[in-house]
Amino acid sequence: MGGRSVFTLAEVASHDNRNDCWLIIEDKVYDVTKFLEDHPGGDEVLLSGVGKDATNDFFDVGHSSTARAMMEEFYVGDIDSSTIPAKREYTPPKQPLYNQDKTPEFIIKVLQFLAPLVILGLAFGIHLYIKTT
């Protein structure tokens, strides 16, 4: 694959094993099969980036300028960016507002406070009743 070609995400994703491993970094496609055994982080790191845009994975590690220069020898073409799914913003699920006066919880807390007092009062009352009789 000496020429500069344009690949779809599906084409790149089909190269997803130790014998044939392609990555997408910054809209460029790299055949890193020969580099798997020499990669300082191990082959699993590279294999985890197949089938998707691995740009963030690559830059999160903080590769040296030497590592970036080495990439050119593995370059096989560009990715057709229209085949990469659009990145969606994460929106957390909507949660109900916290209500401090949740009736069941409030009642339980009141009962936890009052129940021991009622028991103590009953015990004291029984004690006085027995003592007087």
Side-chain angles (χ1 to χ4, degrees), residues 107-124:
I107 291 172
I108 290 172
K109 287 183 180 182
V110 169
L111 288 176
Q112 285 177 337
F113 177 74
L114 289 179
L117 291 178
V118 169
I119 292 170
L120 185 62
L122 281 171
F124 186 70

Side-chain angles (χ1 to χ4, degrees), residues 4-5 7 9 12 22-30 49 52-60 63-65 67-69 71-72 75-82 84 87:
R4 296 182 182 261
S5 302
F7 300 98
L9 178 61
V12 175
W22 289 16
L23 295 177
I24 303 167
I25 300 171
E26 292 189 307
D27 296 327
K28 294 182 180 179
V29 179
Y30 299 93
K52 64 176 185 163
D53 184 348
T55 303
N56 289 339
D57 297 342
F58 180 80
F59 286 108
D60 283 349
H63 286 88
S64 66
S65 56
R68 292 177 195 197
M71 292 172 62
E72 190 59 35
Y75 175 78
V76 291
D78 295 314
I79 187 73
D80 180 355
S81 57
S82 67
I84 296 179
K87 292 180 179 149

